[in-house]
Amino acid sequence: SAVISQKPSRDICQRGTSLTIQCQVDSQVTMMFWYRQQPGQSLTLIATANQGSEATYESGFVIDKFPISRPNLTFSTLTVSNMSPEDSSIYLCSASEGDEQYFGPGTRLTVT
Amino acid sequence: GESVGLHLPTLSVQEGDNSIINCAYSNSASDYFIWYKQESGKGPQFIIDIRSNMDKRQGQRVTVLLNKTVKHLSLQIAATQPGDSAVYFCAEINDSGTYKYIFGTGTRLKVLA
């Protein structure tokens, strides 16, 4: 199974600023995903990030707010732009090996 | 740290008893299902999966049952241990080829000593 790491593990940011979250996979994977998990809630898919193409965003999420990079088969970044307190959440990346998805530990973001 | 299961339904089970966690899924065309375990401060961890052409699959201490007629999935944990305390999510793939998961609402399992 793929091992996934994320940086930072947590951050406290001021409203109006942006934060870039990094996701590193220990093997080459075609598909990576970014999720948001608000306190006490389930996971909501933000976007699918495939290497060599633009990310595909789910309803309610837009590229201007959550730009994503996927420069190679082991790495992706998610930026949370112009943050507001409503963006306070856990952000998780995952990588797909066939049907199975493996998750990183998450980045806990607090916006003040 | 803050629990991801603060507002989720909670199942409390005595240590050593069996646990049954239920999940209703949304799409009758979904063909692949997974159960994940999420401990506080960690990402979801794969437990067991099942395809739609099966109705039961067993792992080590865990069994997943799939009832396609009523779109219901359950996770059975035998001889529940304190280390099983976590939030459990089911997930379905309902758009074959995209590998996109739809996650259920989750259940918090508390194991009582």
Side-chain angles (χ1 to χ4, degrees), chain A residues 24-99:
Chain A
Q24 181 76 52
V25 189
D26 71 340
S27 59
Q28 293 186 338
V29 293
T30 301
M31 303 185 78
M32 295 181 71
F33 303 86
W34 286 97
Y35 290 83
R36 182 172 71 187
Q37 185 175 33
Q38 295 183 311
Q41 308 230 352
S42 187
L43 286 75
T44 300
L45 181 63
I46 297 172
T48 303
N50 293 339
Q51 195 267 339
S53 61
E54 294 287 327
T56 303
Y57 289 83
E58 298 300 302
S59 176
F61 299 97
V62 295
I63 187 171
D64 290 345
K65 176 68 176 177
F66 297 102
I68 288 170
S69 78
R70 182 78 202 275
N72 57 51
L73 290 173
T74 64
F75 188 78
S76 178
T77 67
L78 171 76
T79 298
V80 186
S81 303
N82 188 26
M83 288 183 283
S84 67
E86 291 71 37
D87 295 320
S88 296
S89 190
I90 299 169
Y91 292 85
L92 295 143
C93 75
S94 72
S96 176
E97 289 189 339
D99 287 335

Side-chain angles (χ1 to χ4, degrees), chain A residues 31 37 39 42 58 99 101, chain B residues 36 38 51 99-101 104:
Chain A
M31 303 185 78
Q37 185 175 33
S42 187
E58 298 300 302
D99 287 335
Q101 280 191 29
Chain B
Y36 282 94
Q38 188 175 26
R51 297 204 174 272
Y99 301 99
K100 293 196 305 186
Y101 284 9

Side-chain angles (χ1 to χ4, degrees), chain A residues 31 33 45 48 56 58 96 98-99 101, chain B residues 25-33 51 91-102:
Chain A
M31 303 185 78
F33 303 86
L45 181 63
T48 303
T56 303
E58 298 300 302
S96 176
D99 287 335
Q101 280 191 29
Chain B
Y25 63 92
S26 58
N27 190 336
S28 56
S30 293
D31 55 9
Y32 182 65
F33 306 87
R51 297 204 174 272
E92 61 181 303
I93 291 181
N94 65 4
D95 192 356
S96 186
T98 67
Y99 301 99
K100 293 196 305 186
Y101 284 9
I102 304 299

Side-chain angles (χ1 to χ4, degrees), chain B residues 29-103:
Chain B
S30 293
D31 55 9
Y32 182 65
F33 306 87
I34 296 186
W35 279 100
Y36 282 94
K37 173 186 180 182
Q38 188 175 26
E39 296 174 282
S40 185
K42 297 183 179 180
Q45 177 187 4
F46 173 92
I47 302 174
I48 192 168
D49 60 357
I50 189 168
R51 297 204 174 272
S52 59
N53 61 353
M54 305 171 69
D55 53 21
K56 180 179 180 179
R57 189 158 189 234
Q58 287 185 289
Q60 193 172 32
R61 266 197 326 116
V62 294
T63 300
V64 55
L65 299 177
L66 174 62
N67 185 332
K68 294 182 285 294
T69 302
V70 294
K71 294 191 288 185
H72 184 267
L73 199 64
S74 69
L75 176 70
Q76 300 178 0
I77 304 173
T80 311
Q81 302 169 358
D84 295 326
S85 292
V87 177
Y88 290 81
F89 294 100
C90 67
E92 61 181 303
I93 291 181
N94 65 4
D95 192 356
S96 186
T98 67
Y99 301 99
K100 293 196 305 186
Y101 284 9
I102 304 299
F103 277 83

